[in-house]
């Protein structure tokens, strides 16, 4: 039993501010400990239920938030930038399940701590087949492509973008451990995400210049001043093009 973990940072219990999750900031060390404990809780729970192989992709910001020696389960750690499959680097069809750890709500979501969709400085909203999605929805394209089911656990109640009621980290980790074990036990009954083909991804930016720039990429159509769309049947290609749009438009973000 082989599990893939894509780890973000904003969804961890105890986190409500950028200062807790950005390298070089005063509260970063504490944030990092909270995140590492949650990642290890998922690995330990999965191990209890029989999973034996783990690949962890550190997918937040500069992607060096986790330290390899601190990971449970002798997990392989994918770390650093830039990775061709970004938040989903490392996943392929040899995995039995994918866990999204410490994920957060989309930029437009109500009550979502530190909400954003890939780049808060560029992306206003993303829709897949008309439905608003966040990072989990976009990353599901890759899981669907490889036919791998996804596991989630919620560990805090958001009160807004910078406030939340946190389940005590010890209890949050216990929930993650139990949740991961339960998911692994039931994994043969869990289905990978599925999308109606062809898939349309619409990306609305903060400003029109970003849509103009995204349109430089082959297969990207501009549908209005601030919105572009990509349409296709190959989910991995669509995700790759989306990542290219994210990387390119980063150049236009206000500093
Ligand atoms: Zn994120």
């Amino acid at each position: 039993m082989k599990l893939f973990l894509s780890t973000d940072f904003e969804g961890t219990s105890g986190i409500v501010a950028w200062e807790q999750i950005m390298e070089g900031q005063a509260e970063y060390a504490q944030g990092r400990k909270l995140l590492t404990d949650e990642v290890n809780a998922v690995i330990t729970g999965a191990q209890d239920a029989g999973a034996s192989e783990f690949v962890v992709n550190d997918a937040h910001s500069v992607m060096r938030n986790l330290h390899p020696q601190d990971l449970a389960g002798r997990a392989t750690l994918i770390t650093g930038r830039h990775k061709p499959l970004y938040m989903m680097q490392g996943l392929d069809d040899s995995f039995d399940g994918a866990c999204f750890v410490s994920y957060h709500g989309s930029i437009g979501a109500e009550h979502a701590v530190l909400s954003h969709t890939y780049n808060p400085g560029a992306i206003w909203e993303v829709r897949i087949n008309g439905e608003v999605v966040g990072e989990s929805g976009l990353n599901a394209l890759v899981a669907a492509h490889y036919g791998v089911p996804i596991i989630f656990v919620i560990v805090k109640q958001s009160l807004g973008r910078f406030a939340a009621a946190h389940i005590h980290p010890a209890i949050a980790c216990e929930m993650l451990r139990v949740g991961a074990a339960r998911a692994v036990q039931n994994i043969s009954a869990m289905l990978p995400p599925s999308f109606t083909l062809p898939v349309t991804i619409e990306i609305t930016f903060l400003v029109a210049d970003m849509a103009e720039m995204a349109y430089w990429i082959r297969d990207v159509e501009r549908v209005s001043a601030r919105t572009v769309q990509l349409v296709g049947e190959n989910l991995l290609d669509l995700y790759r093009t989306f990542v290219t749009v994210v990387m390119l438009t980063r150049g236009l973000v206000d500093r």
Side-chain angles (χ1 to χ4, degrees):
M1 169 80 62
K2 192 174 168 189
L3 283 190
F4 173 77
L5 287 82
S6 171
T7 65
D8 209 339
F9 210 150
E10 293 84 350
T12 288
S13 186
I15 300 296
V16 286
W18 301 116
E19 290 80 1
Q20 296 173 288
I21 61 172
M22 288 297 169
E23 202 176 16
Q25 302 277 336
E27 294 174 69
Y28 178 66
Q30 198 238 354
R32 181 183 235 176
K33 171 157 181 19
L34 292 170
L35 172 66
T36 304
D37 287 350
E38 289 195 357
V39 172
N40 283 339
V42 171
I43 292 176
T44 310
Q47 250 181 335
D48 291 348
S52 54
E53 211 181 323
F54 304 92
V55 174
V56 178
N57 177 17
D58 187 332
H60 171 76
S61 186
V62 293
M63 304 184 178
R64 283 185 280 102
N65 307 288
L66 297 169
H67 287 161
Q69 72 278 14
D70 294 338
L71 287 183
R74 299 187 169 202
T76 298
L77 178 61
I78 298 172
T79 181
R81 295 199 288 183
H82 297 279
K83 306 174 236 187
L85 281 186
Y86 211 115
M87 299 185 81
M88 295 302 276
Q89 183 66 41
L91 186 68
D92 61 31
D93 60 10
S94 69
F95 287 86
D96 299 285
C99 311
F100 291 170
V101 184
S102 194
Y103 270 43
H104 52 81
S106 66
I107 180 77
E110 230 178 319
H111 301 310
V113 169
L114 303 175
S115 61
H116 62 278
T117 302
Y118 275 83
N119 186 350
I123 296 179
W124 174 262
E125 186 169 277
V126 180
R127 294 171 296 280
I128 295 182
N129 290 343
E131 196 180 323
V132 176
V133 292
E135 291 168 6
S136 52
L138 284 154
N139 299 349
L141 291 166
V142 182
H145 174 81
Y146 288 119
V148 179
I150 298 170
I151 301 167
F152 282 108
V153 179
I154 295 168
V155 291
K156 69 183 166 197
Q157 193 61 52
S158 170
L159 303 171
R161 199 154 187 256
F162 302 107
H166 305 281
I167 295 168
H168 188 278
I171 300 172
C173 287
E174 180 61 19
M175 288 166 64
L176 287 164
R177 204 176 59 70
V178 171
R182 197 186 317 121
V184 166
Q185 276 153 8
N186 297 330
I187 210 131
S188 55
M190 291 173 72
L191 294 174
S194 71
F195 293 89
T196 307
L197 300 178
V199 167
T200 300
I201 305 180
E202 291 169 283
I203 308 158
T204 301
F205 296 98
L206 266 62
V207 296
D209 292 28
M210 293 169 180
E212 170 81 28
M213 188 180 259
Y215 176 58
W216 298 348
I217 301 165
R218 191 173 53 223
D219 299 332
V220 174
E221 289 172 73
R222 192 170 183 188
V223 293
S224 67
R226 291 189 298 131
T227 301
V228 297
Q229 74 170 24
L230 352 162
V231 183
E233 304 231 334
N234 183 316
L235 304 180
L236 196 63
D237 284 350
L238 282 168
Y239 181 77
R240 280 185 204 282
T241 307
F242 173 77
V243 167
T244 309
V245 168
V246 170
M247 299 309 288
L248 189 66
T249 54
R250 207 167 261 177
L252 286 179
V253 172
D254 292 358
R255 301 289 166 200

